[in-house]
Amino acid sequence: VLLSIAEAFRSVLIPFIFGGSSILLLLLALLVIQRLIRSAMQARRRTLVLRYGPIIHEALDTGSASAIDAATRIPVRYRRLLASLVLAPLHAVRGGLGARAAELAERLGLVEGWRTDLRSRRWWHRSEAALALGLLRNPSAVPELIELLDDDHEQVRAAAIDALGQIGDPSAVDSLLRSMSDPTRHERARVVQALRSFGESATSALLAHGAAVPADRALVATTLSFIGGAAAREPLLRWAAESDTATRASAWRALAAVGLDERAFYHALKALGDDDPAVREAAARALARTGRSDAAPHLAAHLDDQWEVAAQSARALLKLGPDGRAALAARVAQGAGLGHDLAEQVLWEGGRR
Amino acid sequence: MRAWLSQGLMLFDLGVLAYFTVINTLYLVFSVVAFFALVQHRRRWTPRALDVVMRSPATPAISVIAPAYNEEATIEQSLRSLLLLNYPQFEVVVVNDGSKDKTIATMVAAFGLMRAPVAYPQPLETKPVQQLYRSLDNPELVVIDKVNGGKADAINAGINAARYPLVCVIDADSILEPEALMRAALPFVENPDTLATGGIIRIVNGCTVEAGRVTRVGLPDSWLARFQVVEYLRAFLSGRVFMSAVNALLIISGAFGIFRREAVIEVGGFRHDTIGEDMEIVARLHRRWRDTNRPYRVVFQPDPVCWTEAPETRKILASQRNRWQRGTCQVLSYHMAMMGNPKYGSVGWFAMPYFLVFEAAGPLIEVSGYVVTVVAIMFGLIDVVFAQLLFLAAVVFGAMISLMSVLLEEMSFRRYPKIRQLLWLAAIGVIENFGYRQLTTYWRLRGTIDFVRKKQGWGVMTRKGFAKT
């Protein structure tokens, strides 16, 4: 009986396994074919690049009418390929090439296509179009790109920010700042990077925005800490005396990055006595960058402050040279406490360096 | 007498065949259910939907807890990768569990750590925290230096120090993909009853790692590691997707899991006296919430990826499997009251019996099945048809299941970009059933025996470090 059960079991198991394995192998074959088709498409693209690449490169390098005419004779169905060929060199090189690429893109009808794509319902078309117009530094696209800063899709917003940074039109600063309130850090970093590429024109636009919209001053000050120049020092000093603690702290962080002059130095010493620990911490950080030994006794007084302030003061003292080290050593000699631990640690680290 | 013996052996063999058929059929069902669940998951969580979550003020902040013990070789790179995670608000809490090497000194030098006072409530009891460090350069980084107390103790110390409502427990030597936190946190945003989620663990051996990120996905050179690639795909993409779908998930891997902090504190934190602390905490959460009749979910998310290094030598792999098996047996023994108990829902009537039969007792059944069949045929006690059946039900059917897992991967996430890799994976899925699975079964059996003999200890895991992968 047991043997017959085994035989019956075998008569079920063998067809099942055979059928199941066949289906799985067929599925595997289909998936391999799918991948092969993709590979073939990539190979086709490589062939087209070899065929049309030299024509586009000649048009970009020489800008001659005959080369541009040859490029316009490339079939329209290869528009996406043409677009990538025209834009590729712009990622690395600019100068005269940018103007020639813009002209060629216009003649090939690419610019018109990208402007239409900015309103495409497919997010990747919107994103590609924004990046392309940014690379071409097409100022007429700025209003449409600003609209894309509020796009639903993250990639499109990111592309719009990058594009506005490439174009560098100061009229976009306000909109870029607004998009900085986005909670994703990735986007904030992008906006700062975009504003950095604006140069001095961004600093003045940012300061004007901060002056006009007090609620955004903390944000503006934070941005200036990344891109601000000496021109920002005076307004930042004014903001460092405001009643809003977030603005004061951000202003001191920005001043730390911009650097302190004689007047700002004394304001920083005063800020060490601020009620808010974030402001005291930022002031200690700013003083560290001055390297001035006369700040040492003021910073030493904060070695037993709240941890953030104390740690920042200890690190600042280490940077102030012999006077700073002496203040740290004195605190170590005084005995136990937060200041003792921090002073001991930074002196140890300083000794290792 | 011989006839009786022959009858008995045939009956035993039929039982073993039934065992193999049931486990492989179950996996077949898991794979089919997982396929539909994965399709639904991918349709639902489009980049746009993810973006909405990222921008939502309701997205909860996370404290990432990374216990570290003698991680000098990899800690800096791992931490840099962690600090670059894409998530609106998170902190990284590294717990140095009394390392004997320069783990702390490496972190102090690399991240400008400063001593800070230990001034926070510690609801979970742990070994003493000697020092807290914070970074002035990276305010989201906190390092705890404590007396050695084991991984569970280190995690509990990290949970005590965590500021945020969710805690993500990871291995300090693993690599999380930048989007992993966001994807793993989705169930918490979607349903506030979620207690814990886990992501998929993938094998980093053979991949290129640059600046703490996996930049090229490849297959390992070592055959042992290759087998583990398919093994992990089978366990995660089939098994855990199914278990999650029926809210019976019993394991959230210790290498990457997110828990609601309050829930973990309510059940008393991770247990110190088990080597299966990742499974145990999940079992305890199920138990407490079912006991108190509160709605809850424990979810597996298939797309947040945590890359980890797999053992490449038989000795280390054997030690790992032995430890996992002892951990499983320990957890089942702690929570035997849930076994088959309808009060505990799908965990009681399905997950616990499944683990008892196929995970705890499985190795004994499998090894005895192989041995008895071979010996009985050698002595002419049973018909050769039983050997054929055993081969079909255990090896060929098993190979089908492995192949199915590879296809699930190809149809869902397709992380291995080359056709050659897909074909290799398919081949490995078949080959692993001829020797490797039997070897791991033997190691698991040794684990069960060690559990019965109450053997303790973690064994040794030697890491190469990602720079060489």
Side-chain angles (χ1 to χ4, degrees):
Chain A
V1 173
L2 291 173
L3 196 60
S4 61
I5 291 173
E7 293 285 0
F9 190 46
R10 185 170 65 170
S11 65
V12 175
L13 198 57
I14 287 178
F16 172 75
I17 286 179
F18 184 75
S21 303
S22 305
I23 291 170
L24 289 177
L25 289 173
L26 188 68
L27 198 55
L28 176 65
L30 287 174
L31 290 168
V32 170
I33 290 168
Q34 187 190 39
R35 282 210 180 194
L36 285 171
I37 291 170
R38 285 187 182 178
S39 300
M41 286 167 72
Q42 283 166 359
R44 168 80 177 147
R45 186 188 151 81
R46 282 195 292 273
T47 311
L48 290 172
V49 168
L50 284 176
R51 188 184 301 164
Y52 298 125
I55 301 172
I56 297 293
H57 290 156
E58 193 187 342
L60 286 174
D61 291 342
T62 64
S64 69
S66 61
I68 292 177
D69 280 347
T72 56
R73 284 196 291 277
I74 298 173
V76 182
R77 64 177 179 276
Y78 300 131
R79 180 175 164 258
R80 290 201 174 277
L81 176 80
L82 287 180
S84 67
L85 288 172
V86 170
L87 295 175
L90 295 182
H91 291 285
V93 191
R94 291 221 67 95
L97 184 71
R100 290 197 293 278
E103 189 195 342
L104 182 61
E106 196 78 59
R107 288 283 303 276
L108 293 173
L110 296 173
V111 173
E112 197 48 47
W114 284 322
R115 296 194 74 151
T116 309
D117 279 353
L118 286 177
R119 285 181 292 280
S120 168
R121 59 192 180 83
R122 295 188 174 89
W123 67 264
W124 55 93
H125 286 181
R126 298 199 298 279
S127 168
E128 281 170 12
L131 287 173
L133 291 167
L135 278 169
L136 291 176
R137 296 190 173 177
N138 190 324
S140 62
V142 168
E144 287 151 299
L145 289 170
I146 287 175
E147 279 178 33
L148 288 188
L149 290 176
D150 293 321
D151 196 280
D152 283 343
H153 203 283
E154 183 186 17
Q155 299 284 345
V156 180
R157 291 196 306 276
I161 292 166
D162 288 349
L164 287 168
Q166 297 259 10
I167 297 169
D169 189 325
S171 66
V173 170
D174 279 5
S175 309
L176 283 169
L177 271 175
R178 249 200 335 273
S179 74
M180 263 190 87
S181 55
D182 192 291
T184 64
R185 297 158 186 225
H186 194 52
E187 206 147 298
R188 287 172 74 94
R190 266 183 194 280
V191 172
V192 170
Q193 187 60 37
L195 288 172
R196 189 177 279 167
S197 62
F198 278 54
E200 277 299 306
S201 62
T203 303
S204 50
L206 279 166
L207 289 171
H209 181 91
V213 189
D216 279 359
R217 278 179 194 162
L219 189 61
V220 170
T222 304
T223 312
L224 284 170
S225 68
F226 293 105
I227 64 171
R233 193 178 292 127
E234 211 40 53
L236 283 171
L237 263 180
R238 280 201 302 277
W239 297 352
E242 287 207 353
S243 57
D244 176 52
T245 51
T247 306
R248 289 206 304 279
S250 300
W252 277 113
R253 275 185 217 111
L255 280 164
V258 170
L260 304 183
D261 59 8
E262 190 66 14
R263 186 165 153 257
F265 175 74
Y266 288 104
H267 274 87
L269 293 180
K270 192 179 159 198
L272 281 176
D274 196 286
D275 289 340
D276 188 79
V279 177
R280 298 201 295 278
E281 179 199 348
R285 188 190 289 249
L287 287 167
R289 298 198 60 178
T290 64
R292 287 179 57 161
S293 58
D294 48 344
H298 301 273
L299 288 164
H302 288 275
L303 282 173
D304 288 284
D305 201 330
Q306 285 200 18
W307 183 82
E308 295 87 347
V309 186
Q312 208 61 258
S313 300
R315 188 170 280 185
L317 282 167
L318 187 67
K319 292 180 179 170
L320 300 189
D323 288 353
R325 284 172 185 269
L328 287 166
R331 180 62 193 87
V332 173
Q334 271 177 33
L338 175 64
H340 169 271
D341 290 351
L342 290 169
E344 193 180 53
Q345 185 188 343
V346 294
L347 281 174
W348 173 75
E349 280 177 21
R352 285 204 323 159
R353 287 188 202 116
Chain B
M1 178 66 191
R2 188 181 167 88
W4 278 103
L5 184 62
S6 173
Q7 294 280 322
L9 288 172
M10 278 196 277
L11 200 60
F12 175 77
D13 249 22
L14 279 176
V16 173
L17 285 172
Y19 164 88
F20 276 117
T21 310
V22 170
I23 188 174
N24 284 326
T25 306
L26 273 176
Y27 256 94
L28 189 67
V29 173
F30 291 176
S31 300
V32 173
V33 173
F35 172 72
F36 291 106
L38 289 170
V39 169
Q40 192 186 29
H41 181 86
R42 291 205 66 187
R43 279 193 189 146
R44 181 165 190 190
W45 294 112
T46 57
R48 180 175 295 198
L50 284 174
D51 187 46
V52 169
V53 172
M54 277 292 280
R55 290 160 70 87
S56 163
T59 303
I62 298 181
S63 297
V64 180
I65 297 170
Y69 180 72
N70 291 347
E71 308 280 2
E72 180 189 341
T74 54
I75 192 76
E76 185 183 343
Q77 203 174 21
S78 301
L79 276 183
R80 291 205 186 283
S81 151
L82 283 177
L83 290 166
L84 286 173
L85 289 173
N86 191 12
Y87 195 78
Q89 197 178 8
F90 72 98
E91 64 172 353
V92 177
V93 182
V94 182
V95 187
N96 179 49
D97 191 32
S99 294
K100 292 174 184 145
D101 64 358
K102 294 179 183 164
T103 302
I104 273 284
T106 307
M107 285 190 284
V108 167
F111 298 97
L113 298 179
M114 301 283 278
R115 288 181 198 171
V118 185
Y120 52 85
Q122 300 189 44
L124 299 174
E125 200 178 311
T126 66
K127 294 275 183 191
V129 172
Q130 293 168 315
Q131 187 62 57
L132 185 81
Y133 293 88
R134 287 171 60 190
S135 169
L136 291 176
D137 305 329
N138 296 284
E140 304 91 353
L141 177 62
V142 177
V143 174
I144 295 166
D145 190 19
K146 65 179 275 293
V147 174
N148 181 268
K151 188 179 174 188
D153 195 62
I155 295 170
N156 286 342
I159 291 170
N160 280 338
R163 284 184 295 159
Y164 296 136
L166 299 182
V167 289
C168 173
V169 178
I170 62 157
D171 280 345
D173 51 19
S174 298
I175 297 176
L176 284 190
E177 290 201 337
E179 308 288 306
L181 266 193
M182 181 176 69
R183 289 182 179 276
L186 288 175
F188 292 97
V189 180
E190 191 184 42
N191 184 342
D193 293 332
T194 307
L195 294 184
T197 68
I200 187 168
I201 312 294
R202 289 179 183 267
I203 305 286
V204 78
N205 308 45
C207 300
T208 306
V209 179
E210 288 168 1
R213 303 221 178 173
V214 174
T215 54
R216 189 190 61 83
V217 177
L219 285 173
D221 293 329
S222 145
W223 276 96
L224 272 186
R226 284 178 185 175
F227 292 141
Q228 289 172 77
V229 171
V230 176
E231 202 179 17
Y232 277 48
L233 288 180
R234 191 174 56 236
F236 284 92
L237 289 184
S238 300
R240 295 204 190 173
V241 170
F242 176 85
M243 290 289 191
S244 174
V246 296
N247 200 19
L249 191 66
L250 265 186
I251 303 180
I252 282 181
S253 172
F256 179 36
I258 301 185
F259 299 84
R260 196 169 284 286
R261 181 173 179 266
E262 279 173 21
V264 177
I265 290 174
E266 183 184 325
V267 297
F270 284 71
R271 264 179 89 144
H272 303 202
D273 56 351
T274 175
I275 43 176
E277 78 288 331
D278 46 358
M279 182 179 177
E280 201 283 328
I281 186 80
V282 180
R284 203 141 32 95
L285 287 170
H286 278 293
R287 194 168 177 175
R288 173 64 68 94
W289 258 252
R290 294 271 182 185
D291 277 341
T292 51
N293 216 11
R294 285 177 282 177
Y296 76 100
R297 292 194 317 164
V298 176
V299 182
F300 171 72
Q301 286 285 86
D303 45 2
V305 178
C306 173
W307 295 92
T308 195
E309 195 182 330
E312 290 191 349
T313 66
R314 270 190 294 178
K315 188 181 169 192
I316 297 173
L317 184 60
S319 156
Q320 183 198 57
R321 296 310 157 98
N322 183 303
R323 192 176 69 240
W324 288 0
Q325 186 68 13
R326 280 184 288 138
T328 303
C329 294
Q330 274 182 352
V331 175
L332 290 175
S333 67
Y334 293 154
H335 297 284
M336 200 47 92
M338 295 168 78
M339 189 71 67
N341 190 338
K343 177 182 165 188
Y344 296 102
S346 51
V347 179
W349 64 259
F350 178 71
M352 293 293 285
Y354 172 88
F355 270 84
L356 180 71
V357 176
F358 298 111
E359 297 291 338
L364 181 65
I365 300 170
E366 290 180 29
V367 171
S368 57
Y370 290 127
V371 172
V372 166
T373 306
V374 170
V375 171
I377 286 178
M378 277 169 59
F379 288 95
L381 290 168
I382 60 170
D383 195 279
V384 76
V385 73
F386 284 95
Q388 290 172 0
L389 278 171
L390 192 67
F391 178 74
L392 286 172
V395 181
V396 183
F397 201 174
M400 254 177 74
I401 300 299
S402 299
L403 183 58
M404 207 157 167
S405 307
V406 173
L407 297 181
L408 265 183
E409 155 74 3
E410 175 66 12
M411 289 186 288
S412 52
F413 301 112
R414 197 176 287 160
R415 299 307 294 261
Y416 294 88
K418 295 178 182 169
I419 296 176
R420 199 176 52 189
Q421 289 168 334
L422 168 64
L423 293 172
W424 258 120
L425 280 175
I428 293 163
V430 175
I431 298 167
E432 66 142 359
N433 289 278
F434 296 85
Y436 174 75
R437 283 185 87 168
Q438 289 75 11
L439 198 58
T440 54
T441 305
Y442 170 68
W443 291 328
R444 285 167 56 209
L445 177 62
R446 295 280 300 266
T448 308
I449 294 167
D450 286 345
F451 165 73
V452 174
R453 290 163 58 190
K454 301 194 186 312
K455 187 178 168 186
Q456 294 294 327
W458 277 68
V460 180
M461 171 70 192
T462 311
R463 303 217 179 253
K464 293 196 299 182
F466 298 125
K468 296 173 191 168
T469 8

